[in-house]
Amino acid sequence: MHAKPNRLFSARNLYALGRGRIPGQVIIQMTDRCNAHCPQCEMRVTHRYERSSLDRNAIERVLEAAAERGVVAVSFTGGEPFLHFDTLIAMIRRAGDLGIPLIRTGTSGYFLRHHGKKEFRKRVEEIAESLAHTQVRNFWFSIDSAHGVVHDRIRGFPGVFEGIAKAIPIFHEHGIWPTANLGVNRLLGGAPLRLAHNPSRAQCEEFYETSVEAFARFYRTVIDAGFTIVNFCYPMSIESQPESSLDSVYLASSADDMVNFRREEKALLFRAMSQAVREFRDRIRIFTPRNTLHSLAHHYQYREEHGYACRGGKDFFFISAGDGNTYPCGFRAHENLGKYWDMNGTPRDAEAHCTRCDWECFRDPSNTLGPILELINNPRGLVKRLLRDRTWTRLWWEDLRYQQATDFCNGRLPPDFSRLAKFSLRRGASSNRDRRSQAGVCCSSLR
Ligand code: SF4
Ligand code: SF4
């Protein structure tokens, strides 16, 4: 069945916006099996527990219900979804046939380790061709560090970074422009990022500048490797916040020090990410919206809410491989909503109020689409918000313009750098001055 695509700004979605809803998203964890060793993730192969995978029938029923409800974005994640490659391809096709427009999936690229072997090219071509014959829009490789060897060591796959770089042009030949997905961690720049306890202002500034440079190095590395799209997954360390009452059903989090940043570190890290995005967004398409980074930095810096509540449990849902059930997100394990196809609308208590974690899959679109929802449902509130923090207002507007220039980071289209050029920051001395002044802003009021 080929259904009409459910476009983001269709009459149906505009009607939903008028009823206080934003276009839906479902993250389907196909499996919690994984063959990688990443210490920052509880699904690593060395962590022993009973593993599960969703069967095709269950995934199809989720997709059909999602299409019926007007969901616009579906992600197939893991574990390692490529361990079930045939099912993955079939389900992406099914989602596309049902008219779901934003379909995403990704991998660690474990199958690209042995890139010196004769059959390497043929293997990559087969995978690229299979994906090219689906409606997948974004296909990501998870990359953990600006240094290939550090990345390989974290994953436990020697040679995989080089294999990914070798495979990228083959994907491009097949009309697929992969995304580099960085799970932000202490080793992202190579040497560990760490801020002293009770830091002085000078130590804060040093941590900020080292972090900007680490993100910049990461951008340079993935650009050199051939990537044209990049995304940051914010550090997930919910175990470090027992007061938050979160409990992970999606085990892509860990108490490991590698992703466990303190509040003052996060305040500086989010500002550093924003600065790096600013410096590189004319050279690579960047998913990460600076309006969210601004809100998260503000939240950690001043201990007060900023930006919009997460739509997890309201418009966005997570399907767990463990029991096939639906959860408001991957981190509210105590709120089992049952089978997705049996859910009768949104649960009554699922008002958008949660800001308990920084999961970018849900926080980024909640923040970026929040003003559109508010414009329709509470225009006065929006005007007040826009006037209250003009920096945020400017960043949000810029994010919208930038995403339009990137074709909303469409991984089935090549980049058009002429459209990104207007977002260029003048480099050299001015860029360094810019970094220093940003460091001053965040370190002066960090307490
Ligand atoms: S981060 Fe990804 S690749 Fe690494 S162990 Fe977890 S699921 Fe596997
Ligand atoms: S902020 Fe969103 S992703 Fe995080 S716990 Fe709340 S609903 Fe879940």
Side-chain angles (χ1 to χ4, degrees), residues 236 238 246 309-313 316 328-332 353-363 366:
M236 287 302 300
I238 59 170
L246 295 180
C310 181
R311 308 298 298 181
F316 303 162
C329 67
F331 307 97
R332 283 161 57 180
H353 59 262
C354 187
T355 53
R356 283 177 285 172
C357 83
D358 307 329
W359 198 26
E360 97 295 339
C361 293
F362 284 10
R363 298 301 303 275
S366 300

Side-chain angles (χ1 to χ4, degrees), residues 83-388:
L83 292 176
H84 299 284
F85 190 68
D86 293 342
T87 303
L88 175 66
I89 294 295
M91 292 302 100
I92 295 173
R93 282 215 187 107
R94 183 71 183 125
D97 289 348
L98 286 163
I100 297 171
L102 307 178
I103 305 170
R104 306 176 192 135
T105 193
T107 178
S108 68
Y110 67 92
F111 45 87
L112 301 171
R113 273 171 291 183
H114 309 296
H115 53 88
K117 290 200 170 162
K118 226 177 36 228
E119 64 275 14
F120 177 79
R121 186 177 172 94
K122 187 166 168 278
R123 185 165 172 65
V124 179
E125 276 179 344
E126 278 168 11
I127 291 167
E129 205 171 309
S130 300
L131 282 169
H133 283 108
T134 68
Q135 303 89 325
V136 72
R137 190 175 191 273
N138 288 99
F139 165 57
W140 75 82
F141 285 108
S142 305
I143 308 287
D144 290 333
S145 177
H147 291 266
V149 278
V150 176
H151 168 80
D152 294 355
R153 200 170 61 231
I154 293 171
R155 297 268 146 179
F157 296 141
V160 74
F161 184 84
E162 221 179 314
I164 291 171
K166 249 174 137 172
I168 287 175
I170 305 173
F171 282 99
H172 290 175
E173 285 165 24
H174 287 78
I176 295 189
W177 281 266
T179 300
N181 222 12
L182 169 71
V184 174
N185 67 79
R186 291 193 188 275
L187 296 177
L188 76 96
L193 287 173
R194 196 176 302 283
L195 177 66
H197 286 266
N198 303 316
S200 63
R201 181 177 167 142
Q203 286 170 320
C204 285
E205 286 181 2
E206 191 190 340
F207 178 82
Y208 171 84
E209 287 183 28
T210 312
S211 302
V212 177
E213 192 41 44
F215 289 116
R217 199 174 303 146
F218 181 82
Y219 280 146
R220 285 193 287 270
T221 298
V222 295
I223 291 168
D224 289 348
F227 283 103
T228 66
I229 309 179
V230 64
N231 183 45
F232 289 156
C233 301
Y234 311 141
M236 287 302 300
S237 50
I238 59 170
E239 289 80 357
S240 67
Q241 305 164 22
E243 77 282 3
S244 70
S245 73
L246 295 180
D247 187 9
S248 181
V249 60
Y250 182 34
L251 297 174
S253 59
S254 161
D256 195 280
D257 174 64
M258 196 171 150
V259 286
N260 206 331
F261 291 93
R262 304 193 317 277
R263 181 187 68 84
E264 16 350 332
E265 288 180 310
K266 285 189 184 178
L268 293 165
L269 264 184
F270 284 117
R271 299 255 184 237
M273 277 183 228
S274 183
Q275 177 65 20
V277 170
R278 184 163 191 237
E279 292 179 19
F280 279 83
R281 61 188 166 176
D282 59 328
R283 287 182 263 175
I284 187 164
R285 293 174 284 181
I286 299 176
F287 266 110
T288 311
R290 292 182 73 215
N291 77 80
T292 301
L293 297 175
H294 177 81
S295 291
L296 291 174
H298 187 102
H299 169 78
Y300 286 111
Q301 191 168 356
Y302 301 108
R303 298 177 192 263
E304 61 185 35
E305 295 305 340
H306 193 285
Y308 289 86
C310 181
R311 308 298 298 181
K314 183 83 176 163
D315 301 305
F316 303 162
F317 295 93
F318 176 82
I319 314 296
S320 164
D323 57 11
N325 287 333
T326 315
Y327 293 83
C329 67
F331 307 97
R332 283 161 57 180
H334 50 286
E335 293 174 64
N336 184 342
L337 304 172
K339 299 297 176 210
Y340 184 76
W341 52 87
D342 285 337
M343 274 171 52
N344 198 3
T346 303
R348 270 202 206 147
D349 62 351
E351 286 306 314
H353 59 262
C354 187
T355 53
R356 283 177 285 172
C357 83
D358 307 329
W359 198 26
E360 97 295 339
C361 293
F362 284 10
R363 298 301 303 275
D364 283 351
S366 300
N367 275 309
T368 299
L369 295 173
I372 298 172
L373 196 58
E374 204 173 16
L375 172 69
I376 295 170
N377 296 283
N378 180 13
R380 273 179 163 210
L382 178 63
V383 171
K384 273 194 199 159
R385 189 189 289 269
L386 294 174
L387 294 175
R388 201 165 46 231

